[in-house]
Each structure stands twice: as structure tokens, then as C-alpha cells.
Amino acid sequence: MKLSHLLLLCIAFVFLNGACNKNSTGKTRYKGKLEIAGICMNYTIRVLDANIDTNLVVANWVDDVTNISYTNVFRLGNTCDFPSSIKQGDEFYFTIDSGKQKDCAVCQAYYPTPSKSISIKIAD
């Protein structure tokens, strides 16, 4: 195989591999897991993909209530937009949502969450 053909194959692979993680809007899609469904939408989500910006998540976090350690987690930032059909332990795909968040009533009871939060949109 010629070097030029090999180079073209490598470029195509890199392009297609990146495109597989994009949804129809062109935003990067991540796989997450609802680790903790705490009271009053104090939700902790773990990112299962390695390609997320590590500045957005807490690399290592311990739940003060259970003493269970989690990696690559964040607090749900947009509690009003999260579907009630996703339960603790469920895996799902999401994109990072930088749009205006809905206002809704959320109780103020406390459950520990990671220090970093992300507003997300559930992906197809």
C-alpha cells in the first residue's frame, strides 16, 4: 500500500471517529451514569467517556454519607430539565447545554454533591 493511501486512511479514521461522538446538532455527545439521585435533585453524574474536558469534572470525589468514592463526576446544573425517567444507576447520553435554563421550584434539602456542576441536555 502506498504511503499516500495509508495517510488518507488514517485521516479518514480520525475524522470518522470524532464524528461518531457528535449528535445531529454537532455537539459532542458523552455517556454518563446517574450515580446518586439525592433528595431535591442533588444528583451526581459520572462521565463514562474519557474524552471530556477534565476541568469540567471532579476527578475524585467521596460521598460523605456513604463513604463511596467516585471518579469523573459532576453535580447536575439544570435540575428543571432532567427527565424523571432516568433513575439512579441508569446510563444515558448527554451534551453540554449552555442555553438558558428553565426556572422551577426545587426544594432546598441538602445531599452532598461534587463541587463542579454542568448543565446538560439528554441526547438521542
Side-chain angles (χ1 to χ4, degrees), residues 16-75:
L16 291 174
N17 190 36
C20 291
N21 286 332
K22 305 263 183 193
N23 68 4
S24 60
T25 64
K27 291 185 177 183
T28 301
R29 191 174 78 144
Y30 303 99
K31 188 172 186 179
K33 180 178 181 183
L34 180 55
E35 291 288 357
I36 301 170
I39 189 170
C40 296
M41 299 296 291
N42 287 291
Y43 284 6
T44 297
I45 298 169
R46 180 167 53 114
V47 179
L48 301 176
D49 288 321
N51 65 341
I52 194 161
D53 181 354
T54 56
N55 292 319
L56 297 175
V57 297
V58 177
N60 294 294
W61 177 75
V62 177
D63 179 346
D64 295 338
V65 174
T66 63
N67 281 334
I68 296 174
S69 181
Y70 298 92
T71 57
N72 298 327
V73 292
F74 64 91
R75 177 180 65 245

Side-chain angles (χ1 to χ4, degrees), residues 110-121:
Y110 173 78
Y111 190 91
T113 56
S115 58
K116 295 182 180 181
S117 70
I118 303 175
S119 294
I120 63 173
K121 182 174 183 172

Side-chain angles (χ1 to χ4, degrees), residues 65-98:
V65 174
T66 63
N67 281 334
I68 296 174
S69 181
Y70 298 92
T71 57
N72 298 327
V73 292
F74 64 91
R75 177 180 65 245
L76 177 63
N78 54 331
T79 56
C80 300
D81 295 326
F82 197 78
S84 60
S85 59
I86 297 176
K87 305 297 182 198
Q88 185 167 309
D90 288 352
E91 294 181 0
F92 56 91
Y93 289 94
F94 68 92
T95 59
I96 295 176
D97 186 14
S98 57

